[in-house]
Amino acid sequence: MRIGELARRTGVSERSLRYYEQQGLLAAERTPGGHRAYPEAAVDRVVRIQELYAAGLCSSKIAQLLPCMRDTDGGPSAVATPKLVADLAAERERIDRMIADLVRSRDTLDEVIDAARRP
């Protein structure tokens, strides 16, 4: 499929898809005319990349992680290295800290809202 179709099917801009390719996150064949041609599996790959970005991972971590994931189901494969596992555990801890900070902020806002609603 061409880049425009992949963009439409995933909701990701063509610019982002080109960036993913530059970062080694996504691969495309080239047609004789020089156009990108993506396999059907690219849809799952792009969805997975988006999920990892949404989880707060940077492109270099995603590039390390993607070879350890199966695109069709997102499950792990057997090639995760101990260093990658440690890096991902650190990322998870960072996300947990962010969640805790957000919960504290929400609780503070709730208190302010409750106080403001009192007559």
Side-chain angles (χ1 to χ4, degrees):
M1 84 187 75
R2 296 262 175 103
I3 192 168
E5 181 180 348
L6 183 58
R8 280 188 300 281
R9 290 180 60 187
T10 60
V12 175
S13 71
E14 292 181 19
R15 181 177 179 181
S16 292
L17 295 173
R18 286 186 205 96
Y19 174 77
Y20 296 169
E21 192 174 338
Q22 288 173 340
Q23 298 300 306
L25 306 177
L26 185 64
E29 299 288 323
R30 293 291 182 158
T31 66
H35 296 283
R36 289 173 173 84
Y38 295 95
E40 186 64 29
V43 173
D44 290 332
R45 171 62 59 111
V46 171
V47 168
R48 187 79 48 239
I49 292 167
Q50 288 291 290
E51 290 171 346
L52 295 170
Y53 272 125
L57 276 69
C58 65
S59 60
S60 62
K61 290 286 183 211
I62 294 171
Q64 292 174 346
L65 179 60
L66 280 174
C68 302
M69 297 180 80
R70 296 184 304 262
D71 283 332
T72 54
D73 64 6
S77 71
V79 297
T81 65
K83 180 181 181 339
L84 178 60
V85 170
D87 288 348
L88 293 174
E91 286 293 324
R92 188 179 192 292
E93 289 171 8
R94 182 187 64 77
I95 291 168
D96 285 343
R97 286 190 302 274
M98 290 173 59
I99 290 169
D101 289 344
L102 288 170
V103 167
R104 279 191 298 277
S105 294
R106 184 190 62 202
D107 291 347
T108 300
L109 285 173
D110 286 345
E111 291 172 7
V112 170
I113 291 167
D114 288 344
R117 288 184 176 156
R118 288 187 207 126

